[in-house]
Amino acid sequence: VTKPDLDFFRLALTRLGEPDPNDVAYVGDRIDNDVVPSSAAEMRAVWLRRGPWGVVPREEPAEADLIVDSLAELAERIDEAWD
């Protein structure tokens, strides 16, 4: 299976030992391929706005639990995904 198929995210959870999806943050740079489907899988969806997909003019996705511009910012703010 491949992204954005929901089975991809379910398989990832299975391989992580089947944690509660709400305890898992999924970080990705594409809204359509990462943020929307990981949110649908009940994970904490984090949009990393970098690279070509980070500059595509789009509204901030309602599905994102957190939006960051770098991995350094992610490390500093990851707890906010659970606020």
Side-chain angles (χ1 to χ4, degrees):
V1 295
T2 59
K3 294 186 302 182
D5 190 316
L6 196 54
D7 284 340
F8 173 89
F9 297 90
R10 291 182 182 134
L11 179 60
L13 290 168
T14 298
R15 291 191 175 172
L16 286 170
E18 299 186 9
D20 182 331
N22 282 302
D23 291 338
V24 177
Y26 187 91
V27 181
D29 62 350
R30 285 185 55 172
I31 294 171
D32 61 335
N33 225 29
D34 299 309
V35 175
V36 172
S38 64
S39 178
E42 299 180 11
M43 296 176 174
R44 302 296 173 149
V46 179
W47 182 29
L48 177 59
R49 291 187 299 198
R50 70 174 187 182
W53 297 105
V55 296
V56 173
R58 295 188 181 188
E59 292 181 24
E60 294 182 354
E63 295 88 351
D65 293 293
L66 181 64
I67 299 171
V68 296
D69 293 318
S70 69
L71 292 175
E73 182 182 0
L74 172 66
E76 292 173 7
R77 297 186 52 216
I78 189 63
D79 290 341
E80 293 175 35
W82 281 268
D83 287 348

